């Protein structure tokens, strides 16, 4: 237990309309999280990839940088006309994009967060998901590159004053993805053009090794791609998406999963056992296996090794999301978005299902860095109602729940999984705790406004009854009348009122008939 006590703490970043705050993560001592940082007004906030720095965009285009070891502000930058900002993986650099009116104005600036000095400037007309961040770093910040017209430009990450140190020429280049750990390779995507098929090419990042691609894959009917490197930079998964499905089986087009290795041993399509789209794919932390959710609903989920051999079938169900535990032991299979929120938790090592549950209307989901907890959140602007946070144990049992009037963002503070003990030891160190459900404060129902405490435990909500149209609600009573049976005693007030009216009308008609005779 002494070793467990010295482990890094789990922290949770929460951002709402009034700004962001930082909570102590689970396990909670009294059923509620403690607060490390009270609400700080901001419009955007993010951790660096390693969790050493925190960046917050405050009013008047001010960006504050916090040291996450003490959560003290160490630097602030005022950047007029700020449109976007991001930190490098280790928090050494801050990259900003400003709205610009002329090409002479270099609107992309790379700042050193320690000194506050700008180290690189360039002009960029606009930003998209494929072009931002403009300068990409490997996880150790040893490699830095950017997407330019028909080429990939590389920099000396230790001295940006040297400018571009070497280039890789790729005609028609539209998107790149730099491998992270290590930054040894870069993938380049070239879309279809004038009858020439689209292609994915992998190049080495070292100077002198960039003349020829080490792997290449071509394909037709490709509109967009999703590129995913494994840890170790030996394999690249590519989801190729087409806007049109020529088989007319899907309104949303068709998708294929391709796999390429840097040693050239595999370049081809991953053989999936069910027709339909590829919903989600994720590498394990070790980079030795990957899991895929695919096929028309109910979707199928399978775990493959690096040679694309199936290792474990996770069954079928209403799923479109898969999340791999950072320790590699557990998997969460879920159906979010327009699906009802079913979740299935699996033990990959023991190859068995641990439990199932639901998290309706979830927008984001992720495992904690130590691999013991799984957090889902319903956030705005995707959903404007029922915003809240749920934290589950690794087996799917609910541990904590809190609702908000409005919630914009929830994130775990990044930590290396290697800093934590083995998952089996961590699980044994924590006793099961009661589920604490906290009601939102502020605007809301009268009961929530009148409540001053948020630590009350509520009983689990009952499952809502199935919908019945108005004309069918009294069908049982009407049927009983038609067949001369006794009506149901559980009739509603409206049904009883209507019954009395009908009886009076019958009596009135009978009296009129008797008088006329």
């Amino acid at each position: 237990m002494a070793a467990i006590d010295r482990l890094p703490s789990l922290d949770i970043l929460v951002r709402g309309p009034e700004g962001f705050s930082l909570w102590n993560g689970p396990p909670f001592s009294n059923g509620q999280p403690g607060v490390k940082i009270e609400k700080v007004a901001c419009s955007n906030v993010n951790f660096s990839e390693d969790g050493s720095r925190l960046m917050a965009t405050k009013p008047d285009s001010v960006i504050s940088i916090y040291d996450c070891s003490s959560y003290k502000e160490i630097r602030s930058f005022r950047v007029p006309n700020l449109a976007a900002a991001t930190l490098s993986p280790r928090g050494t650099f801050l990259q900003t994009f400003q709205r610009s009116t002329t090409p002479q104005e270099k609107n992309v600036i790379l700042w050193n967060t320690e000194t506050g000095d700008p180290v690189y400037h360039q002009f960029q007309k606009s930003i998209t998901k494929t072009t931002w961040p403009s300068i990409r770093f490997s996880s150790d910040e040893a490699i830095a590159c950017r997407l330019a017209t028909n080429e990939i430009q590389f920099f000396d990450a230790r001295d940006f004053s040297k400018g571009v140190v070497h280039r890789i020429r790729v005609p028609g280049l539209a998107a790149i993805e730099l491998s992270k750990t290590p930054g040894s390779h870069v993938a380049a995507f070239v879309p279809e053009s004038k009858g020439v098929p689209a292609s994915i090419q992998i190049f080495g990042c070292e100077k002198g090794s960039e003349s020829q691609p080490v792997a290449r894959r071509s394909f037709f009917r490709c509109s967009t791609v999703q590129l995913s490197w494994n840890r170790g930079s030996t394999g690249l998964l590519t989801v190729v998406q087409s806007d049109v499905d020529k088989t007319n089986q899907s309104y949303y087009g068709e998708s294929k999963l391709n796999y390429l290795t840097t040693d050239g041993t595999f370049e081809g399509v991953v053989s999936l056992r069910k027709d339909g789209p590829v919903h989600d794919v994720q590498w394990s932390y070790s980079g030795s296996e990957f899991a895929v959710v695919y096929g028309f609903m109910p979707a199928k989920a399978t775990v493959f090794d690096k040679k694309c051999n199936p290792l474990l079938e996770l069954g079928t169900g209403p799923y479109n999301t898969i999340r791999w535990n950072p320790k590699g032991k557990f998997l969460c299979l879920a159906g979010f978005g327009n699906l009802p929120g079913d979740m299935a938790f699996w033990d990959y090592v023991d190859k068995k299902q641990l439990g199932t549950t639901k998290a309706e209307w979830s927008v984001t989901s992720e495992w904690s860095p130590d691999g013991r907890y799984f957090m889902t959140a319903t956030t705005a602007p995707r959903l404007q109602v029922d915003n809240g946070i749920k934290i589950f144990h690794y087996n799917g049992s609910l541990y904590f729940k809190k609702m908000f009037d409005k919630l914009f963002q929830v994130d775990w503070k990044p930590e290396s999984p290697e800093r934590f003990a083995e998952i089996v030891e961590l699980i044994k160190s924590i006793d099961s705790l009661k589920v604490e459900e906290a009601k939102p404060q502020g605007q809301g129902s009268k009961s929530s406004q009148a409540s001053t405490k948020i630590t009350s435990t509520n009983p689990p909500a009952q499952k809502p009854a199935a919908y019945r149209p108005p004309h069918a609600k009294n069908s049982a009573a009407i049927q009983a009348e038609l067949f001369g049976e006794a009506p149901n005693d559980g009739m509603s007030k409206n049904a009883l009122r209507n019954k009395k009216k009908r009886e009076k009308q019958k009596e009135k008609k009978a009296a009129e008939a008797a008088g006329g005779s």
Side-chain angles (χ1 to χ4, degrees):
M1 285 297 295
I4 298 293
D5 292 339
R6 293 194 297 269
L7 295 176
S9 62
L10 296 176
D11 295 336
I12 301 175
L13 175 70
V14 180
R15 181 169 68 90
E18 299 176 358
F20 83 91
S21 57
L22 199 73
W23 296 355
N24 286 311
F28 305 136
S29 57
N30 59 350
Q32 292 295 318
V35 179
K36 282 190 173 182
I37 297 180
E38 294 289 348
K39 289 182 179 178
V40 178
C42 72
S43 59
N44 182 40
V45 60
N46 281 297
F47 287 104
S48 60
E49 186 181 302
D50 67 348
S52 63
R53 295 286 187 270
L54 178 68
M55 176 203 75
T57 305
K58 298 180 178 179
D60 300 324
S61 297
V62 174
I63 302 174
S64 295
I65 308 297
Y66 294 83
D67 183 351
C68 291
S69 61
S70 60
Y71 289 110
K72 292 183 179 179
E73 185 176 333
I74 58 174
R75 185 72 57 186
S76 64
F77 301 85
R78 193 177 189 285
V79 186
N81 300 320
L82 180 68
T86 186
L87 285 169
S88 61
R90 290 189 172 182
T92 307
F93 301 102
L94 169 68
Q95 192 172 169
T96 60
F97 175 85
Q98 299 167 267
R99 287 178 287 271
S100 178
T101 55
T102 61
Q104 290 75 24
E105 182 182 355
K106 295 184 177 181
N107 58 338
V108 175
I109 305 177
L110 195 67
W111 310 81
N112 187 304
T113 56
E114 291 291 338
T115 63
D117 299 327
V119 297
Y120 180 75
H121 303 76
Q122 72 175 50
F123 171 77
Q124 187 167 322
K125 186 176 180 180
S126 61
I127 57 173
T128 62
K129 287 184 178 181
T130 58
T131 61
W132 183 257
S134 179
I135 299 174
R136 313 289 179 92
F137 290 90
S138 59
S139 293
D140 57 3
E141 296 185 358
I143 302 294
C145 67
R146 69 177 286 258
L147 169 67
T149 304
N150 296 327
E151 67 180 19
I152 307 170
Q153 300 177 348
F154 289 85
F155 303 88
D156 184 346
R158 294 164 295 184
D159 187 2
F160 278 89
S161 63
K162 295 179 181 179
V164 178
V165 293
H166 69 277
R167 295 174 169 85
I168 298 177
R169 182 76 178 168
V170 187
L173 181 65
I176 63 171
E177 186 68 27
L178 178 65
S179 62
K180 296 290 187 180
T181 312
S184 57
H185 294 83
V186 61
F189 168 63
V190 178
E192 291 182 66
S193 177
K194 299 178 181 179
V196 179
S199 66
I200 295 290
Q201 303 173 59
I202 298 178
F203 296 89
C205 292
E206 293 295 329
K207 189 174 183 179
S209 64
E210 68 273 9
S211 57
Q212 294 295 327
V214 297
R216 179 189 177 97
R217 175 73 177 166
S218 299
F219 27 74
F220 285 101
R221 300 202 311 271
C222 173
S223 304
T224 59
V225 294
Q226 300 173 28
L227 306 174
S228 177
W229 283 100
N230 71 335
R231 184 178 174 85
S233 304
T234 59
L236 174 73
L237 289 170
T238 305
V239 180
V240 179
Q241 181 74 37
S242 172
D243 292 337
V244 178
D245 183 3
K246 289 193 174 182
T247 63
N248 293 324
Q249 289 182 297
S250 174
Y251 175 80
Y252 300 100
E254 62 177 337
S255 56
K256 298 290 184 183
L257 180 62
N258 291 263
Y259 179 55
L260 296 87
T261 58
T262 53
D263 59 5
T265 57
F266 193 99
E267 295 175 12
V269 177
V270 179
S271 180
L272 303 178
R273 300 182 178 183
K274 188 174 184 179
D275 293 334
V278 177
H279 302 288
D280 196 13
V281 58
Q282 189 179 39
W283 284 101
S284 66
Y285 181 77
S286 66
S288 300
E289 311 92 3
F290 62 91
V292 191
V293 184
Y294 59 94
F296 297 113
M297 292 295 164
K300 191 178 183 67
T302 307
V303 178
F304 295 87
D305 63 13
K306 288 198 296 184
K307 295 183 179 180
C308 296
N309 298 315
L311 299 176
L312 178 64
E313 295 290 347
L314 303 177
T316 60
Y319 304 127
N320 61 3
T321 303
I322 194 157
R323 294 288 183 266
W324 207 308
N325 170 287
K327 290 292 186 178
K329 181 174 173 61
F330 302 123
L331 281 161
C332 178
L333 195 59
F336 297 142
N338 60 348
L339 295 179
D342 294 83
M343 297 195 300
F345 290 83
W346 283 78
D347 187 325
Y348 170 67
V349 176
D350 295 337
K351 293 180 172 50
K352 64 179 181 179
Q353 190 179 99
L354 301 175
T356 59
T357 185
K358 270 195 174 186
E360 297 90 345
W361 312 298
S362 295
V363 176
T364 63
S365 60
E366 196 53 69
W367 286 95
S368 61
D370 67 350
R372 285 182 293 175
Y373 304 97
F374 189 77
M375 180 169 65
T376 66
T378 303
T379 56
R382 175 71 178 272
L383 288 173
Q384 300 291 343
V385 296
D386 296 317
N387 286 187
I389 300 171
K390 291 181 181 178
I391 299 178
F392 299 86
H393 285 289
Y394 64 93
N395 59 5
S397 60
L398 185 62
Y399 173 68
F400 173 79
K401 178 180 177 181
K402 183 171 182 179
M403 304 303 291
F404 293 80
D405 293 326
K406 193 72 70 178
L407 180 65
F408 292 141
Q409 179 184 354
V410 181
D411 289 315
W412 295 103
K413 175 179 174 283
E415 291 283 358
S416 172
E418 297 167 355
R419 297 187 63 191
F420 296 92
E422 290 301 319
I423 189 68
V424 176
E425 297 177 16
L426 292 170
I427 292 171
K428 289 180 179 178
S429 69
I430 301 299
D431 295 326
S432 59
L433 300 176
K434 292 182 179 180
V435 176
E436 298 291 340
E437 183 169 335
K439 292 185 177 181
Q441 290 182 320
Q443 293 183 355
S445 63
K446 293 181 179 180
S447 60
S448 64
Q449 292 180 6
S451 175
T452 57
K453 294 184 179 180
I454 61 171
T455 58
S456 61
T457 303
N458 295 332
Q462 293 182 354
K463 187 176 180 179
Y467 171 75
R468 296 183 66 194
H471 70 272
K473 290 182 178 178
N474 302 325
S475 59
I478 295 171
Q479 186 176 2
E481 280 192 25
L482 289 173
F483 290 97
E485 300 173 0
N488 187 3
D489 293 337
M491 295 173 64
S492 65
K493 291 182 179 179
N494 288 334
L496 291 171
R497 191 180 301 115
N498 292 333
K499 181 185 174 184
K500 289 179 180 179
K501 285 182 180 179
R502 288 193 297 272
E503 290 175 351
K504 287 181 179 179
Q505 288 175 357
K506 287 181 181 179
E507 291 175 358
K508 185 177 179 181
K509 288 180 180 180
E512 290 177 353
S517 61

